[in-house]
């Protein structure tokens, strides 16, 4: 099949950052000729990766529904299948390639089906080359900056029977009012900024998601107010590094002020992810202290407890600075649960470096942690750093770390024994219709028994047993 290349990804282009200037904002408008294209047809979106991808998938769903496509869970029934991919680690990419491979047979039986690949893998030169050469069943590859153009790309691929590649490596623009279909009606992600300028040396995100671009406070507050009016109970402000919010806007306010204003809209629960320890400031702590509806939960990625590795990672803080920040948070916000991200096996991480990470875990006593073995990402500075640490030792370190994380998670959860907690209900157990699950303000997963409970209710639950990664109880 012929291919139409509008633009291919380029990591070198994506690396460039322009001097901060006004970020243009445009308002999405759907072309009338596209709105009936999906009539009588179905779509399915498969989402991998982080919350930014989850939120982007809601926009993709909104765009497809604006074209009159209807959702389906069955691959066989779908006329459009989109895979929203993650590039942060190699194994996530391998999973996606396997998934695309599995779609080959389906496409053979249904040649008019459109298969689209979006997300962070679509921003990677190597990954797109592989898709172009080996995975001919893929019709559309679109980048993280090209989502608003998805309807047009699907139309072009459907009508021209060509494969279409449109991946911009850089885009300064923010598109407001892109239609979105929220996947649940009680909790919503709200983007406050896009991209990342931190360039941690292991990370592909600054290349796949581009320059930091903040949405205007007014647009964010309007979205939160609208969600509140629609009955949403919880919002989570989203950014790769929310603390950098506003740095690109020509205003004198930052994330602390935004958080305070958002909380004052009065929605029951406000959360935010992710905070970089580097530009965490006192106005954020003040906002958290002043507003009871900001949930007592903080995700504060550590990555490593060794100064030497932190420096090689370009994390911009030392172990001592991180400890001081945790001390400040524990003092000012004593009821907060703290979780983190940690990478083991960064190039040439020594036993001593790894021990420093373990020591930091002992110091911070995290409620939980997402832990990873370092994964080499082509095009990042760490990919060319010498590394003589065997993979098996890296895996061993992960096991040791996970054991420690589990012990502290368990210890922290034991504090909830016999307590009454408030749970925002997410769903009913598939196995037992009197068992429900949801999260406490501290982001602890609770499984509980109860009756006549609806998704989105906030209910009181008495805790009767505490496991490392969840709590059990009954509704009062
Ligand atoms: N290898 C392993 N883990 C990574 N992360 C980001 N890049 C890599 C990589 N190359 C982890 C970091 C980050 C989380 C989202 O993913 O811990 O905080
Ligand atoms: Fe990646 Fe670092 Fe940016 Fe997080 S802050 S997205 S780890 S570069």
């Amino acid at each position: 099949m012929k291919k139409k290349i509008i633009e291919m990804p380029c990591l070198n282009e994506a690396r460039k950052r322009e001097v901060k200037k006004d970020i243009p904002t445009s308002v999405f408008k759907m072309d009338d000729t596209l709105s009936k294209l999906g009539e009588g047809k179905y779509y399915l979106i498969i989402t991998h990766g982080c919350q930014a991808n989850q939120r982007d998938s809601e926009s993709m769903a909104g765009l497809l529904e604006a074209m009159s496509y209807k959702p389906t869970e069955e691959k066989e029934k779908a006329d459009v299948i989109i895979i929203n991919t993650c590039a942060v680690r190699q194994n996530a990419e391998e999973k996606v390639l396997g998934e695309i491979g599995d779609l080959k047979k389906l496409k053979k039986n249904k040649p008019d089906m459109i298969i689209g690949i979006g997300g962070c893998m679509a921003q990677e030169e190597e990954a797109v080359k592989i898709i172009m050469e080996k995975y001919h069943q893929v019709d559309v590859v679109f980048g993280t900056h090209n989502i608003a153009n998805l309807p047009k790309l699907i139309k072009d691929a459907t009508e021209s029977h060509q494969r279409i590649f449109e991946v911009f490596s850089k885009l300064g623009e923010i598109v407001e009012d892109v239609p979105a279909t929220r996947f649940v009606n009680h909790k919503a992600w709200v983007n406050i900024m896009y991209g990342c300028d931190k360039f941690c040396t292991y990370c592909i995100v600054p290349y796949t998601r581009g320059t930091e671009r903040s949405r205007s406070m007014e647009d964010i507050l309007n979205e939160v107010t609208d969600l509140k009016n629609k009955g949403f109970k919880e919002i989570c402000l989203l950014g790769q590094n929310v603390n950098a919010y506003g740095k690109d806007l020509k205003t004198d306010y930052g994330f602390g002020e935004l958080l305070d204003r958002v909380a004052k809209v009065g929605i029951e629960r406000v959360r935010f992810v992710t905070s970089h320890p580097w530009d965490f400031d006192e106005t954020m702590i003040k906002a958290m202290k002043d507003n009871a509806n900001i949930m007592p939960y903080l995700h504060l990625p550590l990555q490593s407890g060794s100064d030497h590795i932190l420096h090689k990672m370009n994390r911009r803080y030392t172990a001592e600075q991180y400890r001081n920040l945790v001390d400040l948070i524990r003092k000012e916000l004593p009821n907060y649960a703290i979780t983190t991200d940690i990478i083991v096996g960064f190039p040439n991480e020594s036993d001593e470096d790894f021990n420093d990470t373990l020591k930091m875990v002992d110091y911070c006593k995290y409620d939980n942690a997402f832990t990873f073995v370092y994964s080499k990402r082509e095009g990042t500075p760490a990919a060319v750093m010498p590394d003589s640490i065997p993979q098996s030792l890296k895996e061993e370190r992960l096991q040791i770390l996970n054991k420690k994380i589990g012990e502290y998670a368990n210890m922290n959860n034991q504090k909830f024994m016999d307590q009454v907690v408030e749970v925002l209900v997410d769903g009913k157990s598939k196995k037992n219709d009197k068992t429900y699950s949801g999260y406490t303000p501290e982001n602890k997963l609770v499984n509980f028994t109860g009756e006549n409970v609806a998704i989105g209710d906030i209910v009181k639950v008495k805790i009767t047993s505490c496991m490392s990664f969840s709590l059990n109880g009954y509704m009062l």
Side-chain angles (χ1 to χ4, degrees):
M1 205 197 290
K2 280 199 291 187
K3 52 184 180 261
K4 179 171 162 191
I5 298 175
I6 301 169
E7 198 165 321
M8 289 287 277
C10 171
L11 285 181
N12 257 336
E13 262 311 296
R15 186 175 290 129
K16 291 181 194 156
R17 291 296 188 265
E18 285 168 22
V19 179
K20 291 277 157 78
K21 54 172 195 201
D22 278 344
I23 308 286
T25 301
S26 65
V27 177
F28 177 82
K29 196 173 172 317
M30 181 86 164
D31 182 338
D32 286 344
T33 61
L34 299 167
S35 61
K36 299 267 183 287
L37 201 83
E39 257 177 11
K41 294 185 179 172
Y42 292 88
Y43 77 89
L44 170 66
I45 301 175
I46 301 166
T47 309
H48 295 275
C50 66
Q51 296 92 342
N53 264 18
Q54 309 279 347
R55 178 63 190 81
D56 282 351
S57 286
E58 292 184 338
S59 294
M60 294 173 198
L63 288 162
L64 289 162
E65 290 184 17
M67 296 172 81
S68 305
Y69 285 96
K70 293 208 159 38
T72 177
E73 301 280 314
E74 295 163 50
K75 285 185 188 150
E76 291 74 17
K77 195 170 166 189
D79 300 281
V80 172
I81 296 183
I82 306 282
I83 307 184
N84 191 3
T85 62
C86 172
V88 96
R89 281 170 294 275
Q90 181 70 28
N91 52 7
E93 291 202 1
E94 281 159 9
K95 201 166 161 203
V96 166
L97 291 177
E99 235 163 39
I100 306 176
D102 292 344
L103 294 177
K104 192 171 181 177
K105 213 163 125 212
L106 215 62
K107 172 94 180 174
K108 210 168 163 202
N109 294 336
K110 199 172 174 182
D112 286 341
M113 168 191 266
I114 297 287
I115 298 177
I117 304 297
C120 286
M121 255 173 96
Q123 295 291 143
E124 284 186 295
E125 280 165 71
E126 277 309 308
V128 174
K129 247 190 243 161
I130 293 172
I131 292 170
M132 187 182 260
E133 285 162 16
K134 297 203 183 133
Y135 294 85
H136 292 267
Q137 61 271 43
V138 173
D139 302 280
V140 177
V141 175
F142 62 105
T144 57
H145 309 299
N146 305 74
I147 294 170
N149 205 24
L150 183 60
K152 171 118 187 2
L153 297 175
I154 289 179
K155 176 177 189 269
D156 288 354
T158 307
E159 291 176 356
S160 69
H161 298 285
Q162 285 186 349
R163 312 177 70 199
I164 300 187
F165 294 78
E166 187 186 85
V167 184
F168 298 158
S169 293
K170 280 170 86 183
L171 194 81
E173 195 174 77
I174 291 177
V175 188
E176 287 294 343
D177 292 348
V178 174
T181 301
R182 302 281 180 178
F183 294 146
V184 294
N185 294 319
H186 63 297
K187 298 205 289 201
W189 309 110
V190 175
N191 280 317
I192 63 165
M193 58 187 303
Y194 306 94
C196 181
D197 285 350
K198 286 286 175 290
F199 287 98
C200 301
T201 54
Y202 51 81
C203 187
I204 195 78
V205 170
Y207 309 84
T208 61
R209 291 202 165 257
T211 313
E212 281 174 357
R213 289 147 287 148
S214 302
R215 289 178 71 197
S216 80
M217 173 145 5
E218 194 190 346
D219 285 331
I220 296 166
L221 291 173
N222 285 342
E223 185 176 345
V224 174
T225 307
D226 181 51
L227 289 163
K228 177 175 185 264
N229 293 340
K230 286 182 174 144
F232 281 79
K233 298 286 175 58
E234 179 176 305
I235 53 135
C236 183
L237 304 178
L238 269 191
Q240 299 301 334
N241 168 24
V242 290
N243 318 15
Y245 173 78
K247 293 201 170 159
D248 54 312
L249 300 172
K250 287 196 179 114
T251 51
D252 54 6
Y253 55 80
F255 182 61
E257 287 82 353
L258 175 75
L259 188 58
D260 189 63
R261 293 282 302 275
V262 164
K264 295 207 158 54
V265 170
I267 212 152
E268 276 89 341
R269 291 181 167 202
V270 175
R271 298 186 188 276
F272 56 92
V273 281
T274 289
S275 306
H276 191 297
W278 187 65
D279 32 21
F280 202 99
D281 68 27
E282 304 253 345
T283 61
M284 289 172 60
I285 294 190
K286 183 169 177 342
M288 293 186 251
K289 280 176 89 163
D290 288 353
N291 297 283
N293 59 341
I294 299 177
M295 293 295 101
Y297 167 78
L298 190 62
H299 186 64
L300 198 62
L302 167 69
Q303 313 300 3
S304 169
S306 149
D307 280 341
H308 170 63
I309 297 290
L310 284 170
H311 182 69
K312 279 175 56 176
M313 286 177 161
N314 191 29
R315 286 294 289 178
R316 304 161 191 236
Y317 53 83
T318 61
E320 190 187 350
Q321 283 167 330
Y322 185 95
R323 264 194 303 274
N324 290 343
L325 179 58
V326 170
D327 287 346
L328 180 70
I329 293 159
R330 296 268 188 234
K331 178 166 152 264
E332 299 288 336
L333 303 158
N335 59 334
Y336 265 55
I338 304 180
T339 60
T340 198
D341 290 346
I342 298 174
I343 298 174
V344 298
F346 188 80
N348 276 351
E349 180 193 58
S350 66
D351 284 340
E352 198 187 337
D353 292 323
F354 177 60
N355 275 332
D356 285 345
T357 297
L358 294 178
K359 272 191 234 155
M360 187 65 102
V361 173
D362 285 329
Y363 189 87
C364 298
K365 302 181 171 51
Y366 295 108
D367 285 80
N368 201 351
F370 298 96
T371 56
F372 314 99
V373 173
Y374 167 74
S375 170
K376 184 171 165 175
R377 306 285 61 212
E378 277 325 319
T380 62
V384 291
M385 291 182 188
D387 188 10
S388 57
I389 311 296
Q391 191 66 19
S392 57
L393 181 58
K394 297 184 182 198
E395 306 282 347
E396 226 173 88
R397 285 180 184 162
L398 184 71
Q399 299 308 319
I400 295 168
L401 176 64
N402 283 347
K403 188 163 171 282
K404 202 179 254 309
I405 294 293
E407 284 162 11
Y408 285 114
N410 194 292
M411 184 191 92
N412 283 306
N413 278 1
Q414 294 306 324
K415 290 183 225 151
F416 289 89
M417 189 65 191
D418 296 327
Q419 302 286 311
V420 175
V421 296
E422 289 201 338
V423 177
L424 172 58
V425 181
D426 278 339
K428 201 184 253 189
S429 155
K430 285 196 182 100
K431 289 184 215 137
N432 178 347
D433 68 359
K434 288 202 169 67
T435 308
Y436 298 85
S437 66
Y439 285 85
T440 71
E442 300 80 4
N443 216 28
K444 305 277 180 190
L445 172 64
V446 181
N447 296 305
F448 65 97
T449 50
E451 270 177 68
N452 301 323
V453 183
I455 291 175
D457 286 350
I458 295 180
V459 298
K460 287 196 178 350
V461 173
K462 172 108 180 189
I463 300 302
T464 51
S465 70
C466 308
M467 335 279 274
S468 296
F469 301 108
S470 63
L471 309 172
N472 298 318
Y474 61 87
M475 191 174 105
L476 293 180

